[in-house]
Amino acid sequence: MRFDAISVIPSVFDSYVSASILGRAKARGIFEFHAHDLRTWTHDRHRTVDDAPFGGGQGMLMKPEPIFEAVEAVSDMAEPRPHVVFFSPCGKPFTQRDAERLAGCERIMFVCGRYEGMDERVYSLADEVISLGDYVLTGGELAAMIVTDAVVRLLPGALGDAQSPVDESFAGSLLEYEQYTRPASYDGMEVPEILLSGDHGAIDRWRRENAIRRTALMRPDLLDGANLSESERRLAQDVIDSREQSEEGC
Ligand code: SAH
């Protein structure tokens, strides 16, 4: 799989895609990541990529011409034509389903915004616009890294253990069950007995129930999409009914 990213700070991607699991997957040829400097497609002495918004208002917007030229030129650098992704808080919230869908693309191009965003006309180039969530970042580069990371780990061979992407959070619209490793007892905190029992049937049942409880507690919105039996639905409802309101702070 090939990724292309267009950005005004193309140097920021390299260390992340070259380290750890992504780094190994890249070294093994599972994916390629090519970063391109948007300023390559400017034609003035100052290599200008931004301008003030029509109608007034704060900050600067990315102007359309370099982006149109860059998307065209980078598309032509390889086959096939890329699936073109833009980023914006106004886009579609990114989920694991999107990662799974994008993992089926042969080639993806990210166009990373900066400043106050982009001239609206550039979105005509987009196959999709992705939001990372309801908060505002300084640029689309982190968004491109998050999507790359979530997609690459789904590619065959990227993770050592082929089982891992199947069991984890969101795979069946449930959050992952709690996991523990050694020591079995740490500073008075014990690992649940059943996980030490060696009874794999009982462990599987405990994990399923734990995932349902956790999802009901933390993300009840996910339960609508989950495939639960009658009794599992009742369990989830009991957890929701007894849920205490908790305040979040720093
Ligand atoms: N003024 C814009 C925000 C611009 S932030 C607004 O209010 O909608 C600058 C760039 O950062 C955006 O063009 C986008 O590429 C990126 N960005 C910021 N927040 C993001 C988010 N939640 N999801 C995806 N990309 C985001």
Side-chain angles (χ1 to χ4, degrees):
M1 180 161 188
R2 174 178 168 127
F3 296 90
D4 291 278
I6 297 170
S7 163
V8 289
I9 45 170
S11 63
V12 299
F13 303 109
D14 192 50
S15 71
Y16 196 79
V17 294
S18 300
S20 188
I21 291 174
L22 264 62
R24 281 196 294 278
K26 189 153 73 72
R28 279 191 267 129
I30 291 173
F31 78 103
E32 294 173 29
F33 194 97
H34 301 268
H36 310 272
D37 188 347
L38 179 64
R39 292 186 202 280
T40 308
W41 292 279
T42 55
H43 304 289
D44 63 315
R45 216 156 50 85
H46 301 290
R47 309 181 81 201
T48 310
V49 294
D50 59 340
D51 207 339
F54 280 124
Q58 282 209 320
M60 299 292 269
L61 288 179
M62 298 184 79
K63 54 204 256 96
E65 310 94 304
I67 293 176
F68 274 91
E69 283 188 38
V71 168
E72 179 69 25
V74 173
S75 293
D76 287 345
M77 285 177 187
E79 293 284 338
R81 281 193 81 75
H83 182 76
V84 179
V85 175
F86 279 60
F87 296 107
S88 166
C90 309
K92 180 186 169 298
F94 185 64
T95 68
Q96 187 67 15
R97 296 289 93 76
D98 297 308
E100 287 160 5
R101 177 174 52 79
L102 293 174
C105 294
E106 264 180 75
R107 189 175 172 210
I108 296 177
M109 179 194 290
F110 300 121
V111 186
C112 305
R114 283 257 139 195
Y115 320 115
E116 282 308 311
M118 297 178 163
D119 182 291
E120 192 65 26
R121 289 167 290 187
V122 302
Y123 293 107
S124 63
L125 293 163
D127 292 311
E128 64 185 294
V129 183
I130 288 177
S131 166
L132 256 286
D134 293 343
Y135 43 81
V136 181
L137 304 167
T138 59
E141 289 77 12
L142 272 178
M145 284 294 83
I146 287 171
V147 172
T148 301
D149 189 300
V151 168
V152 166
R153 68 194 291 289
L154 296 175
L155 298 178
L159 298 180
D161 177 1
Q163 184 61 29
S164 355
V166 176
D167 251 8
E168 64 196 358
S169 294
F170 311 115
S173 290
L174 292 177
L175 299 179
E176 192 179 56
Y177 45 79
E178 293 167 14
Q179 304 231 64
Y180 299 87
T181 184
R182 270 177 281 273
S185 174
Y186 178 71
D187 204 14
M189 294 178 283
E190 309 295 330
V191 169
E193 275 295 325
I194 193 115
L195 299 179
L196 313 175
S197 70
D199 178 344
H200 290 288
I203 291 172
D204 284 348
R205 285 192 295 281
W206 183 89
R207 286 181 165 166
R208 173 85 182 163
E209 181 178 325
N210 186 264
I212 293 167
R213 282 184 183 282
R214 234 179 14 164
T215 309
L217 202 59
M218 307 302 293
R219 292 291 307 278
D221 57 298
L222 293 175
L223 291 170
D224 287 344
N227 192 6
L228 300 186
S229 70
E230 231 355 80
S231 62
E232 288 174 338
R233 287 250 164 242
R234 273 199 302 278
L235 167 67
Q237 197 53 52
D238 288 348
V239 173
I240 291 169
D241 292 344
S242 61
R243 202 160 62 127
E244 285 179 2
Q245 285 297 38
S246 71
E247 290 284 322
E248 286 173 29
C250 333

